Structure formats: C-alpha cells, structure tokens
Amino acid sequence: MKLSRRSSWFLLAFGAWSWVIWVTFVKNLWKDGSGLAFDDAGDPTAYFWVHLTLAVTSFLLGTAVGVLGLRGVRAHRTGAARQR
C-alpha cells in the first residue's frame, strides 16, 4: 500500500501531537493535588491507574501512527530523489 504525501505528513503530525498532549497530561496527572489521582496517604487511586493506562496506550498508538507517517514521508523523499 502506498500513502499519499499529504496522508504521510498527517500521520506524522498526529503521532507527534499525540505525544505532546499525553506527556502534558501525564505530568499534570502526576502533580494532581485535587485528590483524584492520589488518596490522602499518597497512594495512587483507580483514577490514576486508568488514566495512566490510557496515556500509555495513546503513547504506543501515537508512536505507531507516527512511524507509519515517517515511513511514508521517507518513501516519497527517496522516490523523488530517484526520479531526478
């Protein structure tokens, strides 16, 4: 299967955006002072574990999508270099 240049860049940007968003989310989750992520004893709550699992899953999916986009962008660049 061959991705278009536009699709490749979109996938690459989506992968990068996913990392930016979820890294910020995990930092905020770790510093949570509202009592949702950590109980009074400082132990992680179910809220913390669920959201950490969502973040890790999103990191993995964002990485996979970004790698597909990167491979597509590289394929277009090498294809364009061969045509010259």
Side-chain angles (χ1 to χ4, degrees):
M1 183 171 115
K2 195 171 187 180
L3 291 172
S4 69
R5 180 174 288 146
R6 176 183 264 176
S7 296
S8 297
W9 278 108
F10 175 78
L11 292 175
L12 185 60
F14 184 86
W17 178 253
S18 179
W19 270 85
V20 169
I21 292 301
W22 286 101
V23 166
T24 303
F25 180 81
V26 169
K27 285 180 183 178
N28 291 335
L29 181 66
W30 201 264
K31 292 188 247 177
D32 179 54
S34 70
L36 285 174
F38 298 97
D39 61 15
D40 294 335
D43 296 325
T45 62
Y47 176 90
F48 174 83
W49 291 114
V50 167
H51 286 83
L52 185 63
T53 302
L54 287 171
V56 169
T57 302
S58 293
F59 287 144
L60 294 175
L61 292 173
T63 300
V65 167
V67 167
L68 289 174
L70 182 62
R71 288 177 65 185
V73 168
R74 284 185 177 171
H76 280 286
R77 286 188 178 168
T78 58
R82 286 183 196 160
Q83 292 176 356
R84 289 182 188 171

